Amino acid sequence: MSSKAKILLIYTGGTIGMSKDFETGALKAFNFGKLIQKIPEIKQLDCEIESISFEHPIDSSNMNPQMWTKIATIIEENYASYDGFVVLHGSDTMSYSASALSFMLENLAKPVVFTGSQLPIGDLRTDAKENLITAIQIASLLEDGKPVITEVCLYFEYKLYRGNRTSKVNAEHFRAFTAPNYPELVESGVHLKLNKHLFLPVNKDAKLIVHKNLDNHVAIIKMFPGMSEIVLASILATKGLRGIILETYGSGNAPTEDWFLNLIEKAIKSGMHIVNVTQCSGGSVNMGQYETSTALKSLGVISGKDITTEAAITKLMYLLGHNIPQNEFKDIFETALRGEISL
C-alpha cells in the first residue's frame, strides 16, 4: 500500500480553474485532468492527486444550498477513498460555502480545504499556483498515517484559516480573506508553521454524518441610521420567513425606539429566530453592555457573539433544517458547534 496521501480536487468553478486564450483574451475552464500540464510543480508534491469537476462549473455568485449539498455529496461518496479534499471555488462566496460545509460535515476527520485565486491559473502573475499547491500540500499532511487537519478550512495567500471564521475583505489584493476573530491555523513561509493548539479536536471513532437539509427561509438585515418602520415591518412580515441575522452596531447595539422593539418582539413571539451579529469587521456582540442592547437581550434575541455574518446565516439554515424546538434553539445557536464562535 502507498504511504502517500490521496487528495481529491473538487472543481466547482471560479477564476482559479480558468485559462486565458491569449489571442482573444477570453477566459475558459480548462480540463483538470491536465492539471499537471498547467502546474508541473505539482509533481513534486508527495501525494496522489485526482480530480472531479462540476459538469457545468459555476461562477460563485450563483452558489446556493443545492450546490453546497452537491459538494458535500461528492465528499461523502469519496470519503473512504481519500485522505483529504481540496475544493476549488470562486472567491466571492467562498466564506459562505466553507461555513456551510463546516456545519454539514459532522464528525469530519479529514481536511476539506477551500481555495481559489484572484487571477486565472494561466496568467503570468497569478496567485492560483501558490494557493493550489499549498492547499494540496496542507491537505496531504499526515501524522502516523492520519490526517493532521480535520476540519473545513480556507487557504488563501499564505494562510490557512478555519473556514467558518473567514470573510472576504478585498476584491483586488491577493490577500483577499481574513479571519477577524481567530488566528490562522497554518502560515506558509519557507516552512509550514502549524498552530496545532488551534485545531479542532477530532473524535476518531465517530462516523461522518452529512447533513443535507438546509432551510433558506432566512434573511440578513443590516441596521443603518434612518431605517424606516415600514421597511423593517415589510421584511419581518415576509411569508415563510423563519430566521433573521440582524447586523447591529458595535457590540450589538440597536435603536431603542418603541416601534423597533415592538416589531422585534412581535416577530420573536410568532416563532421567528433573530440573531444579533455585529456589522463591525471584528469583535463580538455583548448584549447588555450598553442600554441600547439590553432591550434586545430581554426580548430573547440570540447573541451571535463573535461569529461572522457568513457563518451566522449558514448556521441558521443548518439549524432550521433540523426543526429544533423553539425553547432549545437559542442555546444551541449560542453554542460552538464547529469552532465558529469563541467560548
Side-chain angles (χ1 to χ4, degrees):
M1 292 179 63
S2 173
S3 61
K4 291 184 177 182
K6 289 189 66 177
I7 303 300
L8 181 64
L9 298 182
I10 303 170
Y11 177 55
T12 68
T15 302
I16 193 169
M18 300 291 178
S19 60
K20 181 179 287 187
D21 184 318
F22 292 104
E23 292 185 1
T24 66
L27 294 177
K28 58 182 180 180
F30 72 83
N31 182 356
F32 263 82
K34 299 180 179 179
L35 181 65
I36 292 178
Q37 294 179 19
K38 288 286 183 182
I39 314 178
E41 298 93 331
I42 283 180
K43 290 187 290 186
Q44 299 178 42
L45 294 172
D46 190 27
C47 60
E48 299 175 18
I49 304 168
E50 296 180 8
S51 64
I52 188 170
S53 176
F54 277 16
E55 185 178 353
H56 301 290
I58 64 168
D59 186 287
S60 74
S61 297
N62 290 318
M63 190 56 66
N64 58 45
Q66 290 72 37
M67 294 298 175
W68 293 335
T69 299
K70 187 173 181 177
I71 298 169
T73 300
I74 291 172
I75 293 170
E76 179 183 31
E77 291 174 346
N78 293 277
Y79 193 72
S81 302
Y82 295 90
D83 298 295
F85 303 86
V86 174
V87 181
L88 305 177
H89 192 291
S91 61
D92 285 349
T93 61
M94 193 186 300
S95 289
Y96 289 96
S97 295
S99 297
L101 266 291
S102 75
F103 298 118
M104 296 171 75
L105 302 174
E106 185 178 356
N107 298 328
L108 187 64
K110 299 179 181 183
V112 175
V113 182
F114 280 78
T115 195
S117 66
Q118 296 285 65
L119 289 174
I121 211 161
D123 268 28
L124 183 63
R125 296 181 53 253
T126 185
D127 55 330
K129 288 187 178 182
E130 196 285 322
N131 285 348
L132 180 55
I133 288 170
T134 308
I136 294 171
Q137 186 177 19
I138 289 172
S140 65
L141 292 174
L142 299 177
E143 196 171 82
D144 298 325
K146 300 292 184 182
V148 173
I149 307 292
T150 57
E151 56 183 285
V152 178
C153 305
L154 188 157
Y155 181 81
F156 225 88
E157 188 66 5
Y158 306 118
K159 292 187 177 182
L160 181 80
Y161 304 103
R162 176 165 297 152
N164 58 32
R165 288 287 194 157
T166 62
S167 293
K168 185 176 181 182
V169 293
N170 201 295
E172 296 184 0
H173 295 172
F174 287 150
R175 186 164 291 178
F177 290 86
T178 187
N181 294 317
Y182 203 76
E184 62 270 15
L185 303 179
V186 178
E187 186 171 7
S188 174
V190 175
H191 304 287
L192 293 178
K193 179 185 175 185
L194 277 63
N195 298 315
K196 290 187 176 182
H197 63 287
L198 299 172
F199 295 180
L200 282 178
V202 60
N203 184 346
K204 297 178 181 178
D205 299 321
K207 185 179 179 181
L208 177 71
I209 301 172
V210 182
H211 301 278
K212 300 178 183 179
N213 190 21
L214 301 174
D215 188 332
N216 66 346
H217 291 87
V218 296
I220 298 171
I221 300 176
K222 185 169 185 171
M223 298 300 305
F224 61 91
M227 174 178 277
S228 70
E229 178 178 358
I230 191 170
V231 168
L232 182 59
S234 297
I235 296 172
L236 294 177
T238 301
K239 185 178 180 179
L241 188 63
R242 298 185 65 199
I244 290 285
I245 302 300
L246 189 66
E247 284 195 353
T248 58
Y249 310 123
S251 58
N253 304 311
T256 56
E257 295 173 86
D258 288 342
W259 69 263
F260 176 80
L261 296 177
N262 289 339
L263 285 174
I264 297 296
E265 182 179 21
K266 181 181 177 182
I268 292 173
K269 285 184 175 179
S270 73
M272 190 177 298
H273 303 286
I274 298 181
V275 182
N276 187 357
V277 304
T278 176
Q279 58 184 246
C280 296
S281 57
S284 179
V285 162
N286 184 8
M287 289 191 294
Q289 181 178 4
Y290 294 96
E291 183 181 355
T292 44
S293 62
T294 299
L296 295 181
K297 184 177 182 179
S298 66
L299 292 176
V301 171
I302 298 166
S303 175
K305 302 182 181 180
D306 64 350
I307 199 170
T308 63
T309 295
E310 295 91 335
I313 195 71
T314 52
K315 185 176 184 177
L316 190 56
M317 291 183 195
Y318 167 73
L319 292 180
L320 287 173
H322 282 69
N323 292 314
I324 294 167
Q326 182 84 7
N327 61 339
E328 297 177 17
F329 195 97
K330 184 175 186 293
D331 287 341
I332 294 175
F333 196 102
E334 293 179 353
T335 300
L337 302 180
R338 310 283 191 270
E340 72 281 1
I341 55 176
S342 300
L343 299 175

